[in-house]
Amino acid sequence: MGSEIPDILSAEFAENPYPAYQVLRDEAPLHHHEAMQSYIVARYEDVERVFKDQVFTTANYDWQLEPVHGKTILQLSGRDHSVRRALVAPAFRGSELEEKFLPVIEKNASELIDAFRSDGTVDLVSQFANRFPINVIVDMLGLDKSDHARFQKWYTSIIAFLGNLSQDPQVAEDGVRTKEEFAEYMLPIIRDRRSNLGDDLLSTLVTAEIDGETMSDEDVKAFCSLLLAAGGETTDKALASMFALLLQHPEQLAAVREDRSLIDRAFAESLRFHPPVHMIMRQPSEDVEIAGGVIPAGSTVTALIGAANRDERRYKNPDAFDIFRDDLNVTSAFSAAANHLAFALGRHFCVGALLAKAEVEVAANMLLDAMPDMKLEDGFAPAEKGVFTRGPAELRVNFTPA
């Protein structure tokens, strides 16, 4: 049976993982991958449990995240985690998000669109999606946007480190060097911001306090590193994937164009159908029975979001992109009550989910306004790339220039 189980490190898997996901769900819902030294779970109910059951800890981030970020909120548990999350979460929801950062999102989307709106053609990946979320986060933090290329390089290196499933030593070395470079850049800015507060997220982070507890310079630096990597990579791919899918389903694109309230439906369904993060790791604190087998305490568990979100045990016709499906709750799709797994679930549900939603809503509305007749370039078919994170490599679109 082992020879029939797809290898998630293979070129065939990287080309198209979805047939492999079907085999794993049906024939090997719990599979030990020798090269990765990880137990893989693929069905919705099992991935959901890995995210929600507190026996599955984030101790794996001690080696998967800390070498490139420093100690992050994702590694904490109990009161330490609750306090740190409470310190940062208000900036990513409610009035803080709407009043302070929505104008930042709108300004950055407008600037990028203005650069190509009279061209009649654009690659929405390289000219918009790759740049937009990073520009937003840099502006939110009150950093120098002229350093965009450095931020892009750093977060690309960090994501490569996180997805280094084959343990390439060069990727590991680049990731560690990135941590040092980012610390040299960021720590002096954090120290200066404590003395010269502004109306930005970094000022909010350095002054946030709960029960007398504040974030150290190292805490703030690690969170900024995490925000740049996670917020850049995921929103980048989520936005590009949504437009790639809509452009390949013109009738659904037409519906969204006519009724912009459907943008949330389109985003939620694209998160299910083509999630930007395809796998997340956890580590059980004790032996766990799951998916017909036992995972030993201290092992690495790889939860396949990309497989779980296509599980026919959970969704009707899961391999169809359908923004009108009735088995995906759009109302809760961007909260910890979501019934897709793209943002994970439980206590480590993505703190930036509502920021991503706001970015996608603004960008989608502005792009549809600027390119009302957008269509894929003749002969072009979008192709995804990536294994750990995944999204369109490019998205070439034609439209009538403004």
Side-chain angles (χ1 to χ4, degrees):
M1 185 175 179
S3 62
E4 299 172 4
I5 301 303
D7 180 4
I8 68 174
L9 298 183
S10 68
E12 292 80 8
F13 183 89
E15 181 74 19
N16 180 11
Y18 297 103
Y21 287 155
Q22 181 75 59
V23 174
L24 289 168
R25 286 193 305 266
D26 291 348
E27 299 181 26
L30 177 63
H31 168 59
H32 186 256
H33 193 287
E34 292 291 342
M36 289 172 55
Q37 286 298 291
S38 179
Y39 288 85
I40 296 172
V41 293
R43 290 180 180 171
Y44 186 99
E45 65 175 342
D46 298 323
V47 174
E48 180 183 40
R49 182 182 169 196
V50 167
F51 290 154
K52 285 185 170 181
D53 190 334
Q54 296 197 24
V55 72
F56 292 97
T57 74
T58 56
N60 54 291
Y61 288 148
D62 291 353
W63 56 265
Q64 196 182 15
L65 280 181
E66 191 165 342
V68 286
H69 287 305
K71 199 166 190 71
T72 70
I73 189 173
L74 295 177
Q75 293 164 264
L76 303 177
S77 59
R79 186 178 184 278
D80 286 343
H81 175 264
S82 299
V83 169
R84 289 296 182 278
R85 190 173 177 100
L87 286 168
V88 302
F92 297 93
R93 64 181 184 228
S95 60
E96 184 86 356
L97 176 59
E98 290 183 12
E99 295 170 14
K100 186 180 288 187
F101 298 127
L102 199 57
V104 173
I105 295 169
E106 292 168 345
K107 172 178 171 288
N108 278 283
S110 180
E111 287 175 352
L112 288 170
I113 292 170
D114 285 347
F116 62 75
R117 68 166 67 242
S118 41
D119 293 347
T121 182
V122 62
D123 173 11
L124 282 177
V125 172
S126 65
Q127 293 176 255
F128 190 86
N130 279 357
R131 303 180 182 198
F132 174 56
I134 285 294
N135 285 358
V136 167
I137 291 167
V138 168
D139 270 1
M140 285 175 65
L141 288 169
L143 302 177
D144 187 348
K145 208 153 65 173
S146 67
D147 288 325
H148 175 275
R150 297 172 76 183
F151 293 121
Q152 191 90 30
K153 172 179 170 288
W154 285 334
Y155 103 67
T156 300
S157 174
I158 289 169
I159 293 299
F161 185 95
L162 300 182
N164 189 17
L165 305 179
S166 60
Q167 299 300 302
D168 183 317
Q170 186 60 55
V171 171
E173 183 181 322
D174 289 345
V176 172
R177 184 171 59 250
T178 290
K179 177 188 175 183
E180 295 168 354
E181 291 177 0
F182 187 74
E184 289 174 6
Y185 176 91
M186 200 71 207
L187 287 172
I189 294 174
I190 292 168
R191 288 191 287 268
D192 177 73
R193 198 64 53 92
R194 289 190 186 278
S195 304
N196 300 283
L197 297 174
D199 190 28
D200 53 60
L201 178 58
L202 189 54
S203 297
T204 300
L205 294 174
V206 299
T207 56
E209 180 179 332
I210 290 180
D211 297 334
E213 290 198 37
T214 59
M215 296 173 72
S216 68
D217 291 355
E218 182 63 29
D219 286 338
V220 175
K221 185 270 296 180
F223 183 76
C224 291
S225 177
L226 185 64
L227 179 61
L228 283 164
E233 178 80 357
T234 57
T235 306
D236 160 356
K237 288 176 166 51
L239 180 60
S241 290
M242 184 182 81
F243 270 94
L245 288 163
L246 287 173
L247 285 160
Q248 292 174 96
H249 296 81
E251 71 293 345
Q252 296 187 57
L253 175 59
V256 172
R257 186 184 293 119
E258 291 303 312
D259 180 1
R260 301 299 176 82
S261 70
L262 294 175
I263 290 172
D264 284 356
R265 279 190 164 273
F267 187 32
E269 172 65 350
S270 66
L271 287 171
R272 182 198 70 82
F273 193 75
H274 278 171
V277 178
H278 272 237
M279 55 189 74
I280 287 179
M281 282 70 166
R282 291 286 189 264
Q283 184 174 309
S285 57
E286 58 188 59
D287 292 357
V288 179
E289 288 190 27
I290 189 170
V294 176
I295 300 176
S299 303
T300 301
V301 180
T302 300
L304 293 181
I305 294 171
N309 273 356
R310 296 283 192 101
D311 193 341
E312 62 276 10
R313 298 160 191 81
R314 176 62 188 80
Y315 301 105
K316 293 177 288 187
N317 198 14
D319 291 321
F321 175 75
D322 179 10
I323 67 173
F324 299 106
R325 65 171 53 251
D326 60 10
D327 52 2
L328 184 65
N329 188 337
V330 177
T331 304
S332 63
F334 310 99
S335 74
N339 63 346
H340 65 81
L341 302 171
F343 291 129
L345 292 171
R347 64 193 183 282
H348 290 292
F349 177 81
C350 176
V351 72
L354 290 177
L355 172 62
K357 177 177 180 284
E359 288 177 311
V360 169
E361 285 177 346
V362 168
N365 272 300
M366 288 190 172
L367 289 167
L368 290 168
D369 287 344
M371 304 181 290
D373 61 348
M374 73 168 87
K375 62 179 182 178
L376 292 174
E377 181 182 290
D378 289 347
F380 173 75
E384 289 188 307
K385 67 173 181 178
V387 175
F388 182 77
T389 60
R390 190 170 177 85
E394 55 182 347
L395 187 55
R396 301 203 300 268
V397 171
N398 289 338
F399 60 96
T400 300

